Amino acid sequence: MIHEQYAIRQARQEELLSRRNPVNTEFYNGVYNRYQYPVLTRHHVPLHWRFDLNRETNPHFMERLGVNAAFNPGAIYYKGQYVLVVRTEGLDRKSIFSLAVSDNGVDGFRFMDAPLIWDDIDPEETNMYDMRLVQHADGWIYGIYCSERKDPAAEPFDTSSAVAQAALVRTKDLKQWERLPNLSTPSPQQRNVVLHPEFVNGQYAFYTRPQDGFISTGSGGGIAFGLCQDILNPVIEQEIVMDERLYHTISEMKNGQGPAPIKSERGWIHIAHGVRNTAAGLRYVLYTFATDLHDPARVIAKPGGHFLAPYDDERTGDVSNVVFCNGAIVNERDEVFIYYASSDTRIHVVTTTVEKLVDYTFNTPADPLRSLGSAAQRRQLIERNEALLTSEGIPR
């Protein structure tokens, strides 16, 4: 018999699931809209995924398989719906992938069916997370995620050292998934790997992040680009760094590609994350850059500073002062939905358009890389604005 608490808790959860999510009118930057509430949290996870509903086996209606966080989703526009593959982290620290679907992309998200599974071809894989979804020109939908295992070279007392690699799966319907071999690259560690949505010189193209250690990039120089001839035997022989880490910038410690780049008339628009170290720990922000339409490894525009950073309550969570994005959707109206997690805890969305992303990426000044250069850059803006205000007879 179903426990009587189920109906009570389900009614309360339904209020959350059906809540509208209005634009946050207190925030304005002209680039994108923020929204009042997260689009997904651990409280959105279905009750029957967490509780044993049987009153006989669970008389106190205890949560048997709790969920700690819902974050870092891959995203795809599929049959007119906004679909997220959510990193759903249990209380045991293990992450699983779960589908959540919305009709409008900003609210009404509901988890579907059950967590995703596929053939277990890698018994050493302990954890998996941060899937990027890509509709490729070959007709398949690919998911590229971080596959993590214990470092076999670690000392016996070291139970935290890990090795990360890029794992691949693919599907035609988001229901049946085929596990492919892990991507092989010259780097000992790989995270934040993304498949380019089109062939490049007849080959599959990947954005990688070469690094020497699980946390430290070491000699890895930033976001790299590599080509692969056979997706069923995915090997990249050469990684070429295309977007370097730089001293005293938002990405001086490390950076990585977010979702697959967005195609525009002027170039591929990339959303990436940059990391710097602070006295309070690592700070993750998002930034954009553009690459050439015919040579997606060549950067042609890069605004200075961050595109999006933790805002108000987004600053706190399991890993505070962090935003991370690995999912974005462009619908048939060229509206852009950028899904990001705050502090490894919950999922938000900002909305913009392809036109605005292009304007921001190509017309926002680049980082001058020195404080005096930044001061001069700002003085130029002030002087131009003062001249305009004077010509219009508007007092400052």
Side-chain angles (χ1 to χ4, degrees), residues 381-393 396:
L381 174 64
I382 293 169
E383 289 168 0
R384 290 197 305 270
N385 284 338
E386 286 180 339
L388 180 62
L389 290 168
T390 299
S391 68
E392 297 284 340
R396 297 194 297 275

Side-chain angles (χ1 to χ4, degrees), residues 118-119 121-122 125 145 147 167-169 177-182:
W118 38 73
D119 289 341
I121 68 170
D122 187 359
E125 179 183 80
Y145 67 87
S147 173
L168 279 76
V169 292
W177 295 77
E178 177 187 2
R179 178 69 156 89
L180 305 179
N182 289 351

Side-chain angles (χ1 to χ4, degrees), residues 36-53:
Q36 187 170 343
Y37 304 114
V39 297
L40 276 175
T41 71
R42 64 186 180 90
H43 301 293
H44 290 73
V45 177
L47 296 177
H48 67 283
W49 289 24
R50 298 181 279 146
F51 292 84
D52 176 356
L53 305 185

Side-chain angles (χ1 to χ4, degrees), residues 184-206:
S184 175
T185 74
S187 304
Q189 300 257 4
Q190 278 293 355
R191 298 166 91 174
N192 304 300
V193 174
V194 181
L195 178 64
H196 189 71
E198 297 181 358
F199 290 107
V200 176
N201 298 328
Q203 300 183 72
Y204 292 90
F206 287 87

